[in-house]
Amino acid sequence: MATYLEFIQQNEERDGVRFSWNVWPSSRLEATRMVVPLACLLTPLKERLDLPPVQYEPVLCSRPTCKAVLNPLCQVDYRAKLWACNFCFQRNQFPPAYAGISEVNQPAELMPQFSTIEYIVQRGPQTPLIFLYVVDTCLEEEDLQALKESLQMSLSLLPPDALVGLITFGRMVQVHELSCEGISKSYVFRGTKDLTAKQIQDMLGLSRPAVPMQQGRPLQTPDQPVISSRFLQPVHKIDMNLTDLLGELQRDPWPVTQGKRPLRSTGVALSIAVGLLEGTFPNTGARIMLFTGGPPTQGPGMVVGDELKTPIRSWHDIEKDNARFMKKATKHYETLANRSAANGHCIDIYACALDQTGLLEMKCCANLTGGHMVMGDSFNTSLFKQTFQRVFSKGYNGEFRMAFGANLDVKTSRELKIAGAIGPCISLNAKGPCVSENELGIGGTSQWKICSLDPSTTLAIYFEVVNQHNAPIPQGGRGAVQFVTHYQHSSTQKRIRVTTIARNWADAQTQLQHIEAAFDQEAAAVLMARLGVYRAESEEGPDVLRWLDRQLIRLCQKFGQYNKDDPNSFRLSESFSLYPQFIFHLRRSPFLQVFNNSPDESSYYRHHFARQDLTQSLIMIQPILYAYSFHGPPEPVLLDSSSILPDRILLMDTFFQIVIYLGETIAQWQKAGYQDMPEYENFKHLLQAPLDDAQEILQTRFPMPRYIHTEHGGSQARFLLSKVNPSQTHNNLYAWGQVSNGGAAHDWECL
Amino acid sequence: MSVNQQAHTGPPYGQPQPGYQGYQQPAYGGQSLPGAPQSQYGAYNGPMPGYQQPVPPQGYFPSLGFPSKGSPVSLNSDTSSLAPNFIGSLRAPPTSGAPPPVSGASHPSGHVAYSQFEHGDVQNGIPASAAPVQRPPASQPFLPGSAPTPVSQISTFQQYGPPPASVQQLRNHMAGMTIGCTAASAPPPAGLGYASVPPVSGSFSATGSGLYTPYSASQGPPLTSVSQGLPLVQPPFPGQTISTQRLPTQVPGFTPPPPSTGVGPSSYPPTTGAPRPPAMPGPPLPGQTVAGPPSSQPNHVSSPPPPSTMAGLHPGPPMSGLHGPPPPNHPPQPGYQMQQNGSFGQMRGPQPNYGGAYPGAPNYGSPPGPPPPPKRLDPDSIPSPIQVIEDDRNNRGSEPFVTGVRGQVPPLVTTNFLVKDQGNASPRYIRCTSYNIPCTSDMAKQSQVPLAAVIKPLATLPPEETLPYLVDHGESGPVRCNRCKAYMCPFMQFIEGGRRFQCCFCSCVTEVPPHYFQHLDHTGKRVDFYDRPELSLGSYEFLATVDYCKNNKFPSPPAFIFMIDVSYNAVKSGLVRLICEELKSLLDYLPREGNMEESAIRVGFVTYNKVLHFYNVKSSLAQPQMMVVSDVADMFVPLLDGFLVNVNESRTVIASLLDQIPEMFADTRETETVFAPVIQAGLEALKAADCAGKLFIFHTSLPIAEAPGKLKNRDDRKLINTDKEKTLFQPQTSFYNNLAKDCVAQGCCVDLFLFPNQYLDVATLGVVPYQTGGSIYKYAYFQLETDQYRFLNDLRKDVQKEVGFDAVMRVRTSTGIRATDFFGAFYMSNTTDVEMAGLDCDKTITVEFKHDDKLSEDSGALLQCALLYTSCAGQRRLRIHNLSLNCCTQLADLYRNCETDTLINYLAKHAYRGVLSSPVKTVRDALINQCAQILACYRKNCASPSSAGQLILPECMKLLPVYLNCVLKSDVLQPGPEVTTDDRAYIRQLVTSMDVAETNVFFYPRLLPLTKADVDSDSLPAAIRNSEERLSKGDIYLLENGLNIFVWVGVNVQQSLIQNLFGVSSFSQISNALSTLPVLENPFSKKVRSIVDTLQGQRSRYMKLIIVKQEDKLEMLFKHFLVEDKSLSGGASYVDFLCHMHKEIRQLLS
């Protein structure tokens, strides 16, 4: 099946799309029997070195309900200068600019290699990027200092014309006015009072006073920048001022008595940040970057009271319905997230504390707006510092790896309907003929808003085959899907990326082997995992696991080959062989298991799982384990306790952690100092190899993983031991054999 | 200031007037005949405005009247009259009058001092006349009744003598006239007068003076103790005046009356009655509207004498004149009538009649007006405040006042004296209305003399006197009575060899704590008597223990927060810059305790318009930080650290802030302001810092921005003189009351500096300052050039003055009396504790006592005022003032130990509070009634028998009528058209915290002839009485009332004087805009400026200097403060009021 693998890989490279099935069952009935839904992982802004954007507007289908973009799959009548939409079959006249086209003179969008194409369009005013820092001042002195330095450093990483703003909070919330010289000004808000957007704007003096209105329009336009500029200023103008301001930031001065948490008004601070941007720059790319060092303890959005003797809610409390602030807080943050998303602003959360910080309640802020969520122990760690720095990293062409205010529009040919999407997006509630009534993920729409995305942001999009069994598709018929992504590029340009893909239909009854061969088990695993995690957000854990199990069993039933009552006869084809293993690890993963994880951690893991691309998602599901030894070159080994050997160095990448584990012998050698002896240089190299590899991962990963260097018997070794399949334990020495089979068989028995 | 000239409108006048008129008329009748005077007046009129005219006539009249008796005088006056005439004439009469009264007044029986009282100190010239013979000594007019003057007076007396002879009591001045009247002959003259009156009345009306005259007339009557003469006389007048002015109202009645009055004495009553009523009501109103009134004023001034006659008439007229005689008259009338009736029983009947008469009268009024000027009481013959003050100064100013003796009456507040504390609190701390308290409540009720103490617990002492000693009784705190908790004081009796002490207040016996034990000597005094201030002194302080502190925690040093309005108005007027500049240096002069090197007070800064800006001025900052709070609906303090700072530590940051504030808001376009949130912010800041403190708020406009405490413009002048008038004094919303309560609880005192360009509702904005013990300063139409010096001086004084925080005052009394009512700027949560967030050295609390049992003459009555407060260094202390008073079973003792200044202080505060709940007219009526009762009680029970027509005043209270009249005429009780609602509210609150000295000069301003000043001495020139007739066109005068200083320049002042004082060459070049006198190097300029400086130094507020040129527009303003004259707004003249008072008293007696 090398051809399919190549095909899949090619498609991913070119279009950033991976479908669970690359040959589609041609009827609804058959599609449902396939168990794994027809779905794809879409990376809308996949980095394409070879994709020069074109500088004109896309040509749209003239049917108002369609508006598909002209693409290589369209039939073109060069003589009549007509093209037929491949989604609605509308015949369209080319616009005048296309008068000169012919078979040999094709515009880019008609060439097959441009199944993905990017347009730069001139629409509306270009507004610089906006970064609004929302900084917690209830931090330890050390943490605050580190955070201040990080923030100051970040100023140099911002585009010079970017607008920055600063809000600090503790017991009160301060919105700093950056335009003034000399005396520094800030607007202060009580941290306990829930303010409406209007109130906030009134209090910040953002509402347009009635006077200029009367004086006519001319005054309004000049007024607006003046108003907004008080709080949001171009970096290059107030670089120095802001650096000083940050330098002078003090810890929240209000006394915190013994046995109390500091009063932290995160909820109000975010509310004000959202209100501020809403009033000044609606529908413009903007990041609200929240830096918090603890849970919100007062006002709307409070997660825990200020009494230290009352611990912050745990999963146990939540199950017992004992988390008294959770629902209210969640609602508060959801409202904010939705408002923010509606205006195209994203919210990042950088939470650094040893205890929980309320990510569970606040997660929607990042999840719905495409913001980052970073969790660390302290702002004074390289984990935070480098992660934060990486937010501003630049791509191959020197452009920031961030885009804003994306609007993803999905169009399908008639046999397909859209069931939903899972990812850092919100629904735009665009109903249409291609929207399915069955929802998977965020459904009921063919358009989603992604307030912030980067080249790796990946959405799972689920489809439903609606073609009836008795209406066969003609041989060679292809189904098509078009993804149209409008977004604001980091250069503030408005761009549109259009990806059009097509797949063959196949009759599952007669051509099942084609369909089977075209199964992308990696994509399928991730897509199923996303569904599972999505369900886990709202359902009880065991229900989700049972659902996953049942799905796996049904898949194996459908595609496995076995003799009844003979477990050993069970075989899966190569294209399915890894799938059960993925699901096995998924069941054990922190995305579905909350045991030993705080609610915050769960939220954090799930957040990242729902936005990373396929490769990273797989790493999250099933961590990668490499072995380094004198017996040969580094090799991936099974994520199994049997892989732990005394003379090996193991490197495990779980996405969130990178663990280097020295086997018992290796560790002894290292203690003995062999690596420093010239005659054992090869040992030195052996020790170095995993470090280098780890470094490579650390360089690219966002957020920075926790880096753990440990050895046999070390306390940190638990990170490794908790992940590997416990096929060998101190009381269990017999091997389980094939993990996938084992898992499956186990489930089998349960049934 | 704000009050401006017209304080008192109709009501007071109305009452007095009617009565007066009645009286006057008779007088007129007698005098009126002398048509000559009128003509003379006419002459006067020429020079003077309408008013003057009438006056002169009056003066003449008297003279006329005199002629019969002592014609020469009158002649003289006449001759002199012309320009100066009034004055001259007036003076002349007065002198003559005065002497007589004096002599007459002081009967032999009376002691020099008391003589008057005893005699019932007949004020009237008449008594004097009678006395004259006996008591030449009473050189001074009636007041002294004392014999001294007799000599000079004698002559006059003699003149009078003959006529009066029959009437012994000098009906004195008026008397001149009345006296004549008194005799059988008198009536006839009156009648004649009346006859002439009609014409006269015409004149009256014309003069408008009529209004004024009423009072004088009334005075006249009273003076003329002779009942017949007076009434007769007066009635005619009123009739006349009334008729003219009141035509509309009383028209029908009036016309007839005049004639009747004219006819004969008998007729008077009716006539008088009639005239009065009309006069009362009608006059005020018409007076205002009509030009007439003004004319009347002049009259008063110049020719007080005539007033008597005129007065009767005038009262009515002025009123009418003001209001537009016709319509207005009616309304006022009713009220007046009532009063009148009270005073003049007879009048009532007539009144209606007058109505009829008036119609005709009007006609009369206009034409005859000028000529008729009736005779008047001689103003010089009625009690003179100046004389009383001068006498007290001479008699008591030289020796220290030693407080060892119980029930001693201290020297007057106007006297400069030293106090030696020997067991009773200095009068600087406590003054009482009476130092001899009736033993029973029946007596007290009978006398109607209010028992009140005016307490100024933190009064500043002159450097020669020692501050209260600080006593520390150790950890257990001050030694106190077990039962009533009174503090150890000199009156506690130690018994059982000193092991116990008996409380002087409740008689409970308490063990002496061991550490406090001391043996007694053979007299029962403790051996350490002289070592312990609390045993030997009237005033001392205890160091409070932690038990006396809030939350059982010693207080932190207080804080000052400066809160500056930076809205458009404030910035544009330059105010913001001015304040900031001043604060830079002022912050070095924060109050500090004793010998501390630097003040413990921390400071904070807030600016605001629609939102509030707090400033972080922490010393570690390079630049101040501004924090804007726009959530005014729910105020909070945005910062903790760095808001309140030590001035020295944060000096540079503060300086930088004060430099930048004016710049930051230079371009502001924000015109709306908030107010309540500003106070809340200060309050919250103090709460957060856990300390007491003071907010200095500089505010410019009505807070209309959306916020708690938002106000509407509800100013409505139409409410004046209606039952709803009281609402103008009440706050718009109760929000501020609640806020004030919170402030008091925290010890947050608010001082408010207002710079309004229009109505900003002082009544509401002032609630918090008022209830927290703060002050309000108001600079209407603030202009940098003219007002900055005054404002800055006030600010400096306010910031620097000694102040206590978080204060609670309780007054304990010995069994038998009880403190029942309190007046001042404070808050009370229960009935006994006066709570003040802040109490400064100028704030005064007036406490009223009532009997709840009998007192004994032996033990007397004791007061102990204990004030618990936090000093400016944050020390918790108790200041104790003790005062022992005598008790009496004889009313005479009570009247002999009264203090009129204190009485007026109490009465004014009581009345000013009354306007919050009652119509102003009711308040005025009540005031008059109470005073009439006081005097009637004296007359009935203490004075030696004398004719019912004789007005007899207790020596200690002889100024009561004149002062009371001033209170009645004050802006709060009788506002003129230029007095804004804000002004009245402002004055009301101001007066409520005034001490006795301040109320004294506020109600009876000090008038100094600058040109008479001795440039070589330090002394001030002798003051003169507040009457226009005392002013000479050739002189320059200074008038001060505690708020304003007027420098009045006569038209005929020598050019050299003008050059010396103003640096310009002629009268016309003198600028009204001057707010200070130019600094010129010549003795006169130096002297005048030093006088001004001296006066400024005596007042807690910097007075506004106003240059008034004679016959200039501003002169109206100035004349408003000539309180012995009839005022434009309808206030009675002294003479008229005296007559009215007399009538009231007689009515009570009959």
Side-chain angles (χ1 to χ4, degrees), chain B residues 260-283:
Chain B
S260 68
T261 57
V263 175
S266 62
S267 63
Y268 286 119
T271 54
T272 55
R276 293 171 188 171
M280 301 300 280

Short mmCIF file of all heavy atoms in Angstrom, two decimals, chain B residues 260-283:
data_model
loop_
_atom_site.label_atom_id
_atom_site.label_comp_id
_atom_site.label_asym_id
_atom_site.label_seq_id
_atom_site.Cartn_x
_atom_site.Cartn_y
_atom_site.Cartn_z
N SER B 260 -58.20 110.08 61.04
CA SER B 260 -58.58 109.81 62.41
C SER B 260 -57.40 110.08 63.31
O SER B 260 -57.49 110.77 64.30
CB SER B 260 -59.02 108.36 62.57
OG SER B 260 -57.88 107.53 62.39
N THR B 261 -56.32 109.49 62.91
CA THR B 261 -55.13 109.69 63.72
C THR B 261 -54.92 111.16 63.91
O THR B 261 -54.67 111.65 64.98
CB THR B 261 -53.90 109.12 63.03
OG1 THR B 261 -53.79 109.75 61.76
CG2 THR B 261 -54.01 107.63 62.86
N GLY B 262 -55.04 111.76 62.80
CA GLY B 262 -54.81 113.18 62.87
C GLY B 262 -55.68 113.79 63.95
O GLY B 262 -55.24 114.58 64.76
N VAL B 263 -56.82 113.33 63.98
CA VAL B 263 -57.77 113.93 64.90
C VAL B 263 -57.28 113.96 66.33
O VAL B 263 -57.02 115.01 66.87
CB VAL B 263 -59.11 113.17 64.87
CG1 VAL B 263 -60.03 113.74 65.92
CG2 VAL B 263 -59.70 113.25 63.48
N GLY B 264 -57.14 112.85 66.85
CA GLY B 264 -56.74 112.90 68.25
C GLY B 264 -56.13 111.63 68.73
O GLY B 264 -56.11 110.65 67.98
N PRO B 265 -55.60 111.72 69.87
CA PRO B 265 -54.94 110.58 70.44
C PRO B 265 -55.89 109.41 70.48
O PRO B 265 -55.55 108.31 70.09
CB PRO B 265 -54.58 111.00 71.85
CG PRO B 265 -55.08 112.40 72.01
CD PRO B 265 -55.72 112.85 70.76
N SER B 266 -57.02 109.71 70.95
CA SER B 266 -57.97 108.62 71.11
C SER B 266 -58.09 107.89 69.79
O SER B 266 -58.13 106.68 69.72
CB SER B 266 -59.34 109.16 71.51
OG SER B 266 -59.82 110.00 70.46
N SER B 267 -58.14 108.67 68.82
CA SER B 267 -58.30 108.07 67.51
C SER B 267 -57.13 107.15 67.19
O SER B 267 -57.25 106.21 66.45
CB SER B 267 -58.37 109.14 66.42
OG SER B 267 -57.14 109.84 66.41
N TYR B 268 -56.06 107.46 67.75
CA TYR B 268 -54.85 106.72 67.38
C TYR B 268 -55.02 105.24 67.35
O TYR B 268 -54.70 104.61 66.36
CB TYR B 268 -53.73 107.05 68.35
CG TYR B 268 -53.21 108.41 68.09
CD1 TYR B 268 -53.28 109.37 69.07
CD2 TYR B 268 -52.67 108.75 66.86
CE1 TYR B 268 -52.81 110.64 68.83
CE2 TYR B 268 -52.22 110.00 66.61
CZ TYR B 268 -52.29 110.96 67.61
OH TYR B 268 -51.85 112.20 67.36
N PRO B 269 -55.39 104.77 68.44
CA PRO B 269 -55.41 103.30 68.48
C PRO B 269 -55.96 102.74 67.20
O PRO B 269 -55.27 102.02 66.51
CB PRO B 269 -56.31 102.98 69.65
CG PRO B 269 -56.43 104.25 70.44
CD PRO B 269 -56.01 105.40 69.58
N PRO B 270 -57.14 103.09 66.91
CA PRO B 270 -57.71 102.54 65.70
C PRO B 270 -56.82 102.86 64.52
O PRO B 270 -56.36 101.99 63.81
CB PRO B 270 -59.05 103.23 65.56
CG PRO B 270 -59.04 104.37 66.55
CD PRO B 270 -57.99 104.09 67.55
N THR B 271 -56.57 104.07 64.40
CA THR B 271 -55.79 104.44 63.24
C THR B 271 -54.51 103.65 63.21
O THR B 271 -54.17 103.05 62.21
CB THR B 271 -55.41 105.93 63.30
OG1 THR B 271 -54.77 106.16 64.53
CG2 THR B 271 -56.64 106.78 63.16
N THR B 272 -53.89 103.75 64.31
CA THR B 272 -52.61 103.06 64.35
C THR B 272 -52.81 101.64 63.93
O THR B 272 -52.12 101.14 63.06
CB THR B 272 -52.04 103.04 65.77
OG1 THR B 272 -53.03 102.46 66.62
CG2 THR B 272 -51.73 104.43 66.21
N GLY B 273 -53.77 101.10 64.60
CA GLY B 273 -53.99 99.69 64.28
C GLY B 273 -54.08 99.52 62.78
O GLY B 273 -53.35 98.77 62.18
N ALA B 274 -54.92 100.25 62.27
CA ALA B 274 -55.13 100.11 60.85
C ALA B 274 -53.83 100.26 60.08
O ALA B 274 -53.46 99.41 59.29
CB ALA B 274 -56.13 101.13 60.39
N PRO B 275 -53.22 101.32 60.32
CA PRO B 275 -52.01 101.59 59.55
C PRO B 275 -51.04 100.44 59.72
O PRO B 275 -50.45 99.97 58.76
CB PRO B 275 -51.43 102.83 60.18
CG PRO B 275 -52.39 103.27 61.23
CD PRO B 275 -53.50 102.28 61.34
N ARG B 276 -50.92 100.06 60.88
CA ARG B 276 -49.90 99.04 61.11
C ARG B 276 -50.09 97.85 60.21
O ARG B 276 -49.22 97.47 59.48
CB ARG B 276 -49.96 98.58 62.55
CG ARG B 276 -49.54 99.70 63.47
CD ARG B 276 -49.80 99.32 64.88
NE ARG B 276 -49.59 100.43 65.77
CZ ARG B 276 -49.92 100.39 67.03
NH1 ARG B 276 -50.48 99.29 67.51
NH2 ARG B 276 -49.70 101.41 67.80
N PRO B 277 -51.22 97.30 60.39
CA PRO B 277 -51.41 96.09 59.60
C PRO B 277 -51.01 96.35 58.18
O PRO B 277 -50.17 95.66 57.64
CB PRO B 277 -52.89 95.79 59.70
CG PRO B 277 -53.48 96.82 60.60
CD PRO B 277 -52.40 97.75 61.07
N PRO B 278 -51.58 97.30 57.65
CA PRO B 278 -51.27 97.54 56.25
C PRO B 278 -49.78 97.74 56.11
O PRO B 278 -49.15 97.13 55.28
CB PRO B 278 -52.02 98.81 55.91
CG PRO B 278 -52.49 99.37 57.22
CD PRO B 278 -52.44 98.29 58.23
N ALA B 279 -49.33 98.56 56.93
CA ALA B 279 -47.92 98.88 56.81
C ALA B 279 -47.12 97.60 56.82
O ALA B 279 -46.30 97.36 55.96
CB ALA B 279 -47.50 99.75 57.97
N MET B 280 -47.39 96.85 57.79
CA MET B 280 -46.61 95.66 57.95
C MET B 280 -46.55 94.88 56.67
O MET B 280 -45.51 94.68 56.08
CB MET B 280 -47.25 94.77 59.02
CG MET B 280 -47.36 95.47 60.33
SD MET B 280 -45.77 95.96 60.96
CE MET B 280 -45.28 94.41 61.62
N PRO B 281 -47.66 94.41 56.32
CA PRO B 281 -47.68 93.55 55.15
C PRO B 281 -47.32 94.33 53.92
O PRO B 281 -46.33 94.08 53.28
CB PRO B 281 -49.12 93.09 55.07
CG PRO B 281 -49.90 94.06 55.92
CD PRO B 281 -48.96 94.75 56.82
N GLY B 282 -48.13 95.21 53.69
CA GLY B 282 -47.99 95.92 52.43
C GLY B 282 -46.63 96.53 52.30
O GLY B 282 -45.94 96.29 51.32
N PRO B 283 -46.27 97.25 53.24
CA PRO B 283 -45.08 98.07 53.09
C PRO B 283 -43.92 97.30 52.55
O PRO B 283 -43.34 97.69 51.57
CB PRO B 283 -44.81 98.52 54.52
CG PRO B 283 -46.10 98.36 55.23
CD PRO B 283 -46.89 97.32 54.50
#
